[in-house]
Amino acid sequence: MSALCMGCKKKEQPEDRPATTVIAVGHRGWDLCDEHAQKFGGYLADLFGNDGLEPAVETPGSVVVTGEIPGYEPGAARRALENGGYRIVGHVEEDTTLIVCGVRPAPHKVREAAEAGTPCMDATRAGAFREAVTSGRWVGEDRHPAVEEKATAADVRRETDEQRDLRRKREADAMAKYNHWRRTELPKEMEASAKRWEEEREQKEQAEIRRIARSQLPPELSETEKIRAWARKNGYTVSNKGRIAGQVREAYHRAHDGQESLDLGVAS
């Protein structure tokens, strides 16, 4: 089952187009076809302009995609990687930075990647590919799958009904598991993610408010400065530097006995 364009679904267009692009804001993402991606991307460009939105980054390199990616048509999966700046190749090359393995990956491609030490991303993990599309982070931290040599036509003809049924059951179970995760677990994860983001944003806003408030307050005087200021106000003669006479300190503390802590608490 392919991810469908949310824009087409919202407009109730007669033809549901497969999604090829994800526009992400914070922890939320929207699956869109090429037409709606250009349309909504144009809105953002008109609103914010294009200055500074294209930072110079290293070319991600090339990627090998093999096997069926759950939830994506082959063309849509490849376009999603191309939108991330990757170049799709059929075999491991010098600049290949990742191999994305779906259901039934090609054994020779997996073997090439394993021998070259190319990082692997297991796209059969529930939601792994969509999460990478949404976040823009393509990380190869999975083991290269154990695959058998590609079956020949003779092998297919020799496949018994029982073997065929078992293979189809494995494929159906994998797809059912993915669809169940997308219907039940993904919304919960997205909601929790949005809540965490909201809490973090509120904490940052409160910290910034406190920082601005502190910056606008007059600098707090040291105890020595407070004694000098009090002494001058009450007729004592004190120098700008050096040690303050003991009787002045004693008079200050007597005058503020039981008051200093209250004043500090009110100031804070």
Side-chain angles (χ1 to χ4, degrees), residues 197-233:
W197 179 81
E198 190 69 27
E199 291 174 351
E200 291 173 2
R201 187 185 68 173
E202 184 176 355
Q203 291 173 0
K204 290 179 180 178
E205 288 178 350
Q206 292 298 324
E208 182 65 12
I209 291 172
R210 289 193 295 270
R211 185 192 67 78
I212 294 173
R214 284 194 300 268
S215 67
Q216 294 176 350
L217 291 174
E220 185 177 354
L221 299 177
S222 66
E223 184 179 17
T224 301
E225 291 171 333
K226 290 178 181 178
I227 294 175
R228 283 196 172 94
W230 176 86
R232 293 190 182 103
K233 184 177 179 181

Side-chain angles (χ1 to χ4, degrees), residues 44-62:
L44 294 175
D46 291 341
L47 181 61
F48 298 111
N50 293 321
D51 293 341
L53 297 184
E54 297 181 359
V57 296
E58 295 183 4
T59 304
S62 62

Side-chain angles (χ1 to χ4, degrees), residues 63-70 72 77 80-81 86 96-103 105 110 113-114 117-145 178:
V63 170
V64 173
V65 182
T66 177
E68 299 175 10
I69 309 300
Y72 287 82
L81 280 157
Y86 290 96
T96 300
T97 58
L98 184 69
I99 179 171
V100 179
C101 295
V103 180
V110 175
T118 304
C120 174
M121 175 183 174
D122 182 5
T124 64
R125 286 188 293 107
F129 193 85
R130 188 182 189 282
E131 181 181 349
V133 173
T134 304
S135 65
R137 295 179 64 253
W138 302 88
V139 182
E141 297 179 339
D142 301 309
R143 288 187 176 185
H144 295 83
Y178 169 76

Side-chain angles (χ1 to χ4, degrees), residues 2 13 16 32 42 44 48 77 80 105-106 136-137 156 173 188 191 193 195 205 207 222 227:
S2 301
Q13 294 186 358
D16 288 331
L32 300 172
L44 294 175
F48 298 111
R137 295 179 64 253
V156 174
D173 288 345
K188 295 178 184 177
E191 182 179 357
S193 223
K195 184 177 180 181
E205 288 178 350
S222 66
I227 294 175

Side-chain angles (χ1 to χ4, degrees), residues 22-30 130 134-135 190-191 193-194 197:
V22 173
I23 290 184
V25 178
H27 295 283
R28 304 179 64 186
W30 293 266
R130 188 182 189 282
T134 304
S135 65
M190 296 292 285
E191 182 179 357
S193 223
W197 179 81

